[in-house]
Every structure is written in C-alpha cells, then in structure tokens.
Amino acid sequence: MGIRDELIASYAEDLRTKCGMVPDMDLLTKVTLGCGPLIYHENTNYVDATSPAEIKQIKRNYLIKKLSLRDGPELDDGIDVVLEIYDAERKYRVVVYYMLTKHFGKEAYYK
C-alpha cells in the first residue's frame, strides 16, 4: 500500500468515526486525486478551521472556482455545517472537500 492509499484510508476512517458518514470510496479517491500534492505536506494536508483567511480560500478556490458554485451566504453556511460535523481538532483538507462536495450535491463534478 502506497502513501496515497494510506492517506485515503485515514480520510475514510475520519469520515466514519468523526463525521458519522459511510464514505463513497470512489468519490473520496477522486477528491484526493484532485487535491494533488497538497495531501503530502503537513501544512496543506490539514485545514485551519480557525483561520478566516483559510475559510475564505476554501470558499473561493474550491467552492467557487473548482465546483462552480455561485458566491453567496449559502456557501458560508455550508462550510460552517461541514466544519461543525467534522468533529476533529485536525481536519483533513480532503475530508472537508469531500463533505462540501456532498453537501452541495456536486458529486457529478468528479464523475
């Protein structure tokens, strides 16, 4: 098993144990691949959920640019919901992106 596979297993475990979700492994793998090399670096593999700049970046770069969602208060609300559900001190970026993808019903982006 390679490093990426180990990370995907860790992401799936967080989804099961910290989010109460049964992960769609195909979607989780595609979201992981979409993050590219970010997953291999300590400072980019995790989201700083306490940083307004980080939250703004997730909204701008992931939700608006990547998933093509329109800017509005529902994006902020969705981020808040996901971060509240993901009950972990250190939140994996892939898990947050996966949950946002599911929350906004944008799974087709990865098909």
Side-chain angles (χ1 to χ4, degrees):
M1 183 185 293
I3 294 171
R4 184 177 64 213
D5 293 330
E6 291 173 9
L7 287 168
I8 291 171
S10 294
Y11 304 150
E13 183 64 18
D14 265 21
L15 284 164
R16 280 190 288 276
T17 62
K18 296 177 181 167
C19 305
M21 302 175 78
V22 176
D24 172 342
M25 293 306 292
D26 184 51
L27 178 61
L28 183 59
T29 299
K30 289 176 181 176
V31 172
T32 302
L33 292 173
C35 284
L38 292 176
I39 65 171
Y40 299 108
H41 303 286
E42 183 75 19
N43 61 338
T44 57
N45 191 27
Y46 296 97
V47 167
D48 181 357
T50 63
S51 168
E54 175 98 22
I55 302 308
K56 189 175 185 179
Q57 183 178 19
I58 290 169
K59 180 180 173 182
R60 184 182 62 244
N61 292 343
Y62 188 70
L63 296 178
I64 296 171
K65 288 183 180 177
K66 191 156 194 158
L67 296 184
S68 300
L69 294 168
R70 290 189 155 196
D71 193 3
E74 65 279 354
L75 298 186
D76 296 311
D77 294 343
I79 292 170
D80 290 344
V81 166
V82 164
L83 294 178
E84 187 174 319
I85 291 170
Y86 191 4
D87 187 27
E89 187 174 318
R90 297 184 63 176
K91 297 174 187 338
Y92 285 118
R93 181 172 307 280
V94 170
V95 173
V96 171
Y97 286 5
Y98 172 92
M99 292 176 67
L100 287 167
T101 302
K102 298 285 272 180
H103 178 83
F104 288 106
K106 297 298 273 185
E107 296 92 339
Y109 173 84
Y110 289 100
K111 300 297 177 188

